[in-house]
Amino acid sequence: MSKHLLSIEDLDREGIERILERAQSFAEVSGREIKKVPALKGRTVVNLFYEASTRTSSSFELAATRLSADVISVRAAGSSIEKGESLRDTIQTLTAYEPAAIVIRSPHAGAAASVAAWTDAAVVNAGDGKHEHPTQALLDVFTLRQRLGSLDGLRIWIVGDVLHSRVARSDISAFQKMGASVTVAGPPTLLPRGIEALGCAATPTLERLPEADVVYVLRMQHERMQEAFVPSLGEYTARYQINATRLRPGQLVMHPGPVNRGVELDGDVIDSDASLIGEQVRAGVAVRMAVLYELLVGASALAAVA
Ligand code: NCD
């Protein structure tokens, strides 16, 4: 069993299914009045977030707490990271508390893998730059399975700023492993060259969007754009915004959050029956409980593929 969850490639379909089954049982626990289980009692989970986060950080915190772990949450702002302490020194410092797991989000691709080399703790990648966000992919698959039963044969379109999206990279892989076909769509400047090598189709227009069963909308990631990738937001919105006029009845809409309301996604769609966004957020806690459980307690969910 691989000790860490650094990439969705650490999991095969069987490993993903095992985590999702575990998540299902934790979702049931979350429906009870007492939402805690003693699985990680006496063990410590460190959450280290070097980048903005609402959903991911709060759900990891809640997940570890509901497993009865002791939880330390460190944010870049207000910590010694701000004073210039290197990631390696920060990990060394936190290692003194003998954590069982370190959950890390960083603006740098590969940061989680580096941490895994420096610590005995199990490391969970909560987003490393443009690279990967494996627990988001797991919760997205969980959400779709809850609603549809299976992803086999499902046609999923991922629309928008694919270039800067670690969610897209992890989702393309996870959705395909679970039997779905994936098409990415967006302005050519926001579609990575050669993305088809990941097994998906790519298109610069939404003409064939009605073919999609699920429309997965991505946020325009302004913070990762050093230059202008689209002529204007108005132009982007006119061509690529997902709104009622572009959707056909029965299509489901997802978004990892946070949404730029009125840019990549129209506000009315977010609040409509087509939207799974609220279910994605809810799934986050049970899925992250399952990931921590499998890494720290469970037997062999994470079969090393490498
Ligand atoms: C995503 C992220 O941080 O990569 N958000 C999230 O984890 N819910 C997507 C995004 O920021 O657009």
Side-chain angles (χ1 to χ4, degrees):
M1 158 175 165
S2 163
K3 187 176 169 186
H4 312 289
L5 180 58
L6 304 177
S7 158
I8 202 72
E9 301 313 328
D10 293 338
L11 294 164
D12 54 16
R13 179 169 178 156
E14 209 176 293
I16 292 175
E17 278 170 354
R18 193 185 146 102
I19 289 179
L20 299 186
E21 272 151 38
R22 181 82 63 190
Q24 183 58 48
S25 66
F26 285 133
E28 276 150 34
V29 172
S30 297
R32 295 184 200 151
E33 198 177 323
I34 308 291
K35 302 187 190 311
K36 261 191 175 181
V37 293
L40 298 186
K41 209 171 169 161
R43 303 177 82 179
T44 302
V45 175
V46 170
N47 292 320
L48 187 51
F49 278 73
Y50 284 82
E51 254 193 359
S53 174
T54 304
R55 280 149 280 264
T56 307
S57 61
S58 59
S59 61
F60 264 115
E61 212 168 305
L62 204 50
T65 306
R66 287 190 178 166
L67 292 169
S68 303
D70 297 322
V71 183
I72 305 169
S73 294
V74 180
R75 293 266 187 173
S79 73
S80 291
I81 296 163
E82 230 180 21
K83 299 179 185 165
E85 190 170 45
S86 74
L87 177 57
R88 190 169 189 157
D89 288 342
T90 302
I91 295 301
Q92 202 163 26
T93 302
L94 295 168
T95 295
Y97 305 133
E98 297 183 16
I102 296 177
V103 177
I104 176 162
R105 165 168 290 190
S106 160
H108 304 295
S114 298
V115 172
W118 299 329
T119 175
D120 290 334
V123 175
V124 182
N125 182 3
D128 61 333
K130 296 188 281 186
H131 180 225
E132 278 236 28
H133 193 352
T135 61
Q136 178 71 43
L138 290 171
L139 76 86
D140 289 335
V141 173
F142 182 85
T143 303
L144 283 169
R145 292 218 323 173
Q146 292 284 96
R147 177 62 72 103
L148 301 171
S150 157
L151 276 68
D152 280 312
L154 204 63
R155 291 160 303 178
I156 305 179
W157 277 51
I158 299 178
V159 178
D161 182 1
V162 180
L163 182 66
H164 299 101
S165 177
R166 53 197 175 207
V167 172
R169 247 164 293 276
S170 293
D171 270 351
I172 289 168
S173 170
F175 291 159
Q176 292 184 134
K177 280 180 200 224
M178 300 308 290
S181 69
V182 178
T183 299
V184 296
T189 47
L190 292 175
L191 296 180
R193 206 169 307 174
I195 183 111
E196 294 92 338
L198 300 180
C200 56
T203 167
T205 79
L206 297 186
E207 267 164 37
R208 292 190 294 106
L209 190 69
E211 291 173 10
D213 301 303
V214 176
V215 181
Y216 195 105
V217 188
L218 297 172
R219 183 174 66 89
M220 286 290 274
Q221 304 221 356
H222 303 290
E223 77 277 18
R224 297 191 211 284
M225 298 184 192
Q226 267 94 44
E227 50 186 291
F229 283 85
V230 287
S232 71
L233 271 189
E235 185 144 331
Y236 177 85
T237 300
R239 282 169 181 256
Y240 297 102
Q241 185 194 67
I242 298 303
N243 53 41
T245 64
R246 293 216 158 97
L247 293 169
R248 63 161 173 80
Q251 284 180 314
L252 294 170
V253 176
M254 301 175 80
H255 191 299
V259 181
N260 295 307
R261 250 178 206 261
V263 180
E264 69 266 6
L265 188 54
D266 179 62
D268 290 346
V269 174
I270 302 173
D271 305 323
S272 75
D273 288 345
S275 166
L276 290 176
I277 297 170
E279 285 162 56
Q280 288 174 272
V281 176
R282 250 189 312 282
V285 178
V287 168
R288 287 170 175 133
M289 285 175 83
V291 167
L292 291 171
Y293 184 92
E294 288 296 332
L295 288 175
L296 301 179
V297 184
S300 57
L302 299 176
V305 171

